[in-house]
Amino acid sequence: NGAGIDIVTREQIHSRQYFDQGGAMNYEGSTLDSWNNGTYYNLLDADVRSQIVQVTVRGFYGNIVRNVFTLSSPEVGQAQSSAGSLLPYFTDNTTRIAYLNGGASDWWLRDTYGYNRVFYVTSSGGVSWVLSQNQFGARPSFCLPAAMLFSGSPNADGSYSPVGSPYMDSV
């Protein structure tokens, strides 16, 4: 989506969410898409929200513009669709394993497989598909300016606060 921006993906799962309670076959407008760009987006610090770079991601019906999005199978190294390209971090199954409440857990991807089936990362780091009415982990992603800096020490809740950068005052 352009030079000078970095993708930020939660290291661990935020919470369990439905992909789409109505059984939709696409990410655009799904329960998860709405949660990412509503509830989750509003949980982010206002200084971080003000720096998020809207990006274009591939959805079922074509490209969509989002502030916050769910990764696709190609982005995690398991190309089940054409919805993105490999992110360098996801080199093997172990880098795809994410945790919720101390245990490895399944988490959603945004690409779909036929009617009402969605790809997800299994608790062992593989990729499979399941019906969209299930509840799996959410690992939202968003993009920030590459020059944005964060504190090296985590906050009490595990998050990191932005610090002085060319884009904002110290927080």
Side-chain angles (χ1 to χ4, degrees), residues 17-20 27-42 66 68 70:
Q17 300 293 326
Y18 289 100
F19 184 86
D20 195 72
Y27 176 71
E28 305 93 295
S30 67
T31 304
L32 184 59
D33 184 26
S34 297
W35 179 83
N36 279 338
N37 286 282
T39 302
Y40 182 77
Y41 177 80
N42 289 319
R66 293 292 184 267
V68 181
T70 296

Side-chain angles (χ1 to χ4, degrees), residues 51 145-150 163-170:
Q51 298 302 312
M148 193 166 174
L149 303 174
F150 289 86
V163 295
S165 78
Y167 298 98
M168 63 190 308
D169 294 328
S170 294

Side-chain angles (χ1 to χ4, degrees), residues 81-106:
S81 72
S82 60
S85 56
L86 176 64
L87 298 172
Y89 175 78
F90 293 103
T91 56
D92 57 37
N93 282 16
T94 60
T95 59
R96 287 189 290 272
I97 296 172
Y99 296 83
L100 178 65
N101 300 325
S105 187
D106 302 328

Side-chain angles (χ1 to χ4, degrees), residues 8-171:
V8 177
T9 299
R10 285 187 60 89
E11 180 179 11
Q12 303 306 334
I13 294 166
H14 177 274
S15 57
R16 292 175 59 83
Q17 300 293 326
Y18 289 100
F19 184 86
D20 195 72
Q21 290 174 291
M25 63 181 277
N26 57 307
Y27 176 71
E28 305 93 295
S30 67
T31 304
L32 184 59
D33 184 26
S34 297
W35 179 83
N36 279 338
N37 286 282
T39 302
Y40 182 77
Y41 177 80
N42 289 319
L43 291 173
L44 297 171
D45 182 272
D47 290 327
V48 172
R49 283 195 314 263
S50 73
Q51 298 302 312
I52 288 178
V53 178
Q54 280 193 334
V55 293
T56 302
V57 296
R58 189 115 160 107
F60 185 78
Y61 293 112
N63 293 335
I64 53 176
V65 177
R66 293 292 184 267
N67 287 322
V68 181
F69 55 94
T70 296
L71 297 176
S72 67
S73 63
E75 290 165 338
V76 300
Q78 291 292 306
Q80 304 296 329
S81 72
S82 60
S85 56
L86 176 64
L87 298 172
Y89 175 78
F90 293 103
T91 56
D92 57 37
N93 282 16
T94 60
T95 59
R96 287 189 290 272
I97 296 172
Y99 296 83
L100 178 65
N101 300 325
S105 187
D106 302 328
W107 54 280
W108 290 118
L109 296 170
R110 76 172 178 271
D111 38 350
T112 57
Y113 174 68
Y115 180 73
N116 198 22
R117 292 174 280 186
V118 182
F119 288 105
Y120 71 99
V121 175
T122 68
S123 60
S124 60
V127 172
S128 190
W129 61 267
V130 68
L131 295 177
S132 64
Q133 295 96 332
N134 285 289
Q135 219 180 17
F136 286 155
R139 271 182 91 180
S141 297
F142 53 90
C143 292
L144 294 171
M148 193 166 174
L149 303 174
F150 289 86
S151 168
S153 300
N155 299 321
D157 66 358
S159 66
Y160 290 82
S161 295
V163 295
S165 78
Y167 298 98
M168 63 190 308
D169 294 328
S170 294
V171 178

